[in-house]
Amino acid sequence: MALKDELDIVIPTIRNLDFLEMWRPFFQPYHLIVVQDGDPNKVIKVPEGFDYELYNRNDINRILGPKASCISYKDSACRCFGYMMSKKKYIYTIDDDCFVAKDPSGKDINALEQHIKNLLTPSTPHFFNTLYDPYREGADFVRGYPFSLREGVPTAISHGLWLNIPDYDAPTQLVKPSERNTRYVDAVMTIPKGTVFPMCGMNLAFNRELIGPAMYFGLMGDGQPIGRYDDMWAGWCCKVITDHLGYGVKTGLPYIWHSKASNPFVNLKKEYKGIFWQEDIIPFFQGVKLPADCTTVEQCYIELSKQVREKLSSVDPYFGKLADAMVTWIEAWTEVNSSK
C-alpha cells in the first residue's frame, strides 16, 4: 500500500461510521483520525479492524485549553483539528456520506490511490498543458511547452470531485433539486498560478508538511454567523500561499459517490451571508500580495490574518474575529507540533 506509514485519513462525523465498510479494501491499511462533532457523550461506533484514534469536544478542550476556541463546533470545520493532531506527511479527508464511486467501466475507484499519484507527481501552475496532467501514463507536455518549466513544482493539494450529488450552494440546489452529476471526466489539471478556486473538503488530500498550517477551516457553525464556507476559506488561503511559496494545486480525479444532498433550506440559512460576503472576499484574495520575507506557511498565514483584519473587517466584524482565530490556530498548531 502506497504511503501506508505516511498518510492519515481524517473523518469528521456525528454518526456511526458504517460507511467505512465499503472503503475497507482501500482504507484498512491506513491510520484514521476521527473528529467527533456535537455531543461528546454520544458513542460513535467504528467498524472492527480499523486502526483509529477518536477526538470529541472534551478532548479538543483538554488538548488545546483556551486555544480550543479556534476549532468550530457543530460544523464539519472541526475536521482541521485532526490535521493538527496528525503526525504524518500526508492527509486525506473524506465525509461520511461519500461512498466508493465506479469508473465508466464499472470498476470501483480507489480514490486514495489517485490522490497519492496526484500528490507525488509535480504540478504545472506556471504554464497550462492542453493535455492536462503531463505526468500520467500516455500523456506528456505538448509542442510549445517550455522545456525550462517541465520539471514542474511540488504538489501541495489534490482536490477530488464527486459523482451523483454535486457540491452546489443552496440557491442552485433549490432551482435544480433533482440534478445529479453523471459526467466522469478522466482528467487531472493544475489550477494556474493567480487563480483562486472553490475548494470542497469532502474528497481532499494534501501534503501536510508543505501546506498543513494553512489548512484551517475557519470559525463556522455554532455561535457564528456563517457555515458551509469552512473549506472555501481554507482553499482561498491555501491557494494564495501555495502561489507565493511556489507549490501547486491539482483538481479533477479521483471521484467519490456523494450519496445524499443536504437540506437546501438549512444550507441557505448557513450560507446566506457568505453568498454576498464572497463578492468582497474573492477580490480580496485575488489582490493579496505576501511580502518576500514570508518564507514559511506560518509566516504567510499570520501575514494573511493581518490583511484579513485590515481589509475585510469593514465587510463585517466577524472577519476581525476570524483573523484572531487564524492567529490562535497557528499558535495551537505550533504548540502541538513542537511537542511531537
Side-chain angles (χ1 to χ4, degrees):
M1 273 294 182
L3 304 182
K4 187 172 79 69
D5 302 318
E6 292 181 82
L7 183 144
D8 279 336
I9 299 172
V10 174
I11 306 166
T13 195
I14 54 169
R15 58 181 68 85
N16 293 338
L17 294 181
D18 305 335
F19 92 113
L20 283 173
E21 277 304 343
M22 71 171 67
W23 286 103
R24 190 182 288 276
F26 307 131
F27 287 3
Q28 192 157 3
Y30 295 89
H31 179 68
L32 312 181
I33 298 178
V34 180
V35 184
Q36 176 180 343
D37 198 16
D39 179 4
N41 297 314
K42 185 180 169 184
V43 176
I44 298 280
K45 292 196 177 76
V46 178
E48 286 287 305
F50 284 94
D51 167 41
Y52 73 96
E53 55 193 294
L54 185 147
Y55 297 98
N56 62 30
R57 195 70 209 184
N58 295 342
D59 300 313
I60 295 171
N61 291 338
R62 175 176 51 81
I63 293 164
L64 296 186
K67 293 190 176 73
S69 62
C70 72
I71 305 295
S72 301
Y73 181 55
K74 294 193 176 166
D75 194 285
S76 66
C78 67
R79 76 177 81 220
C80 61
F81 179 75
Y83 310 159
M84 188 188 278
M85 298 313 292
S86 171
K87 300 172 181 64
K88 305 284 172 62
K89 182 174 180 178
Y90 299 98
I91 297 281
Y92 175 51
T93 185
I94 184 170
D95 285 6
D96 59 17
D97 62 350
C98 293
F99 300 167
V100 177
K102 291 190 185 304
D103 69 17
S105 74
K107 187 168 167 272
D108 282 355
I109 296 167
N110 182 348
L112 193 48
E113 181 181 52
Q114 179 65 47
H115 275 298
I116 289 168
K117 278 182 189 167
N118 294 349
L119 289 169
L120 294 184
T121 51
S123 293
T124 53
H126 301 294
F127 200 89
F128 191 81
N129 191 48
T130 50
L131 270 184
Y132 309 123
D133 182 2
Y135 302 104
R136 76 182 283 183
E137 217 173 300
D140 212 317
F141 292 98
V142 296
R143 183 169 57 88
Y145 201 102
F147 279 84
S148 58
L149 292 176
R150 292 189 183 195
E151 272 184 16
V153 302
T155 301
I157 299 170
S158 169
H159 177 256
L161 299 174
W162 346 271
L163 291 169
N164 196 35
I165 308 287
D167 187 27
Y168 285 163
D169 55 31
T172 312
Q173 278 184 300
L174 286 166
V175 295
K176 292 179 159 184
S178 56
E179 183 152 294
R180 299 293 178 264
N181 184 31
T182 56
R183 287 175 58 224
Y184 179 94
V185 180
D186 187 10
V188 176
M189 59 189 82
T190 298
I191 300 171
K193 185 177 180 182
T195 301
V196 283
F197 76 111
M199 188 177 83
C200 171
M202 66 180 155
N203 174 25
L204 178 74
F206 60 93
N207 182 324
R208 193 176 168 279
E209 287 179 5
L210 291 187
I211 199 62
M215 252 320 155
Y216 174 49
F217 275 46
L219 276 183
M220 303 281 149
D222 203 44
Q224 307 301 339
I226 187 174
R228 283 174 58 82
Y229 273 87
D230 51 337
D231 42 9
M232 299 293 135
W233 184 260
W236 297 328
C237 293
C238 283
K239 187 57 169 67
V240 298
I241 292 173
T242 53
D243 282 355
H244 174 76
L245 294 176
Y247 306 138
V249 177
K250 293 179 183 175
T251 186
L253 301 180
Y255 284 92
I256 51 82
W257 178 269
H258 186 207
S259 64
K260 65 175 195 287
S262 42
N263 184 316
F265 296 101
V266 173
N267 288 350
L268 188 60
K269 212 172 160 183
K270 291 178 181 178
E271 287 172 1
Y272 88 99
K273 280 189 157 71
I275 287 169
F276 55 91
W277 286 351
Q278 70 188 14
E279 300 304 322
D280 292 302
I281 297 170
I282 301 301
F284 162 74
F285 279 106
Q286 287 171 328
V288 162
K289 295 275 182 290
L290 296 170
D293 62 358
C294 287
T295 54
T296 67
V297 177
E298 289 89 341
Q299 287 170 341
C300 290
Y301 204 71
I302 294 294
E303 171 60 30
L304 195 52
S305 76
K306 289 176 189 161
Q307 296 189 29
V308 166
R309 186 188 317 281
E310 194 185 310
K311 307 262 175 62
L312 292 177
S313 291
S314 57
V315 174
D316 193 275
Y318 164 75
F319 290 98
K321 218 167 120 179
L322 178 55
D324 289 340
M326 290 167 75
V327 175
T328 305
W329 160 263
I330 290 293
E331 290 169 353
W333 180 282
T334 305
E335 217 167 275
V336 166
N337 287 282
S338 61
S339 60
K340 283 180 186 174

